[in-house]
Amino acid sequence: MELTEAIRRRRMVRSFAADPIDRDVVDGILRAALRAPSAGNTRGVAWLVLEGAETAAYWEHATDEAWRAAYERYPGMSRAPVVALSLCSPTAYVERYGEPDKVTSGLGPADAGGGGEATWPVPYWWGDAAFSTMLVLLGATAAGLGAAFLGAFRGEAALLEDLGVPGGWRLFGAVLLGRPDGHDRPSPSLGRAPDAGAGAVHRSRW
């Protein structure tokens, strides 16, 4: 599939068939995603893939019983056979920007004369995680799969500890992957901006 076609066709899917996905397909999507831009070539983004019964750990920590009972889309979302967690390491970026070719940024660790993580005006780790996540969403579309991105709103620390993620890594969000089951309904949010691109591009001045 051409890139422009994947961009045009990409949408969030919230109702999946439980059929497993070939691991080679998932691995191919993630290999491509790891070619996303990386500030300072830090490579501080990683993915943790949960498949089949393993996905229960994500739902257990990232949601609560009341939400699962009340949210009508939950059954369809929870059938996704793959939950891929997008992770990033702020420490890796801080340390990278303390190296000789980046130290003048002042964003490295304190022992390198920098201000550390708190001084970053725009944390590059979140941007790099977003770049990689976008490639997963597009790669899923190109592979004929459905995908949905879910933000990290609760349970991050417990989830990462449960999954053995080393300290210092943060959860950017999760991508559900699977085959659409045909029962999804358009999100009400789609009605907010019929012409999403209108007025969003400016030249010379705002």
Side-chain angles (χ1 to χ4, degrees), residues 1 3 20 31 37 44 51 54 56 66 70 98 107 114 116 127 129 172 185 197 206:
M1 185 184 296
L3 175 61
R31 278 196 302 271
E51 299 174 289
E54 299 170 345
L107 299 174
F172 174 64
R185 292 179 292 100
W206 185 280

Side-chain angles (χ1 to χ4, degrees), residues 102-197:
K102 297 290 187 182
V103 70
T104 56
S105 68
L107 299 174
D111 60 10
E117 182 179 338
T119 62
W120 285 61
V122 179
Y124 286 164
W125 46 92
W126 298 124
D128 284 1
F131 294 150
S132 189
T133 299
M134 188 72 243
L135 290 184
V136 169
L137 297 174
L138 290 173
T141 301
L145 299 174
F149 175 75
L150 303 180
F153 298 108
R154 70 181 300 276
E156 175 188 0
L159 173 63
L160 299 190
E161 181 179 6
D162 188 22
L163 297 176
V165 177
W169 285 83
R170 295 293 310 277
L171 175 65
F172 174 64
V175 178
L176 310 182
L177 294 170
R179 293 179 179 82
D181 66 1
H183 299 300
D184 204 3
R185 292 179 292 100
S187 168
S189 300
L190 294 175
R192 291 192 66 252
D195 187 2

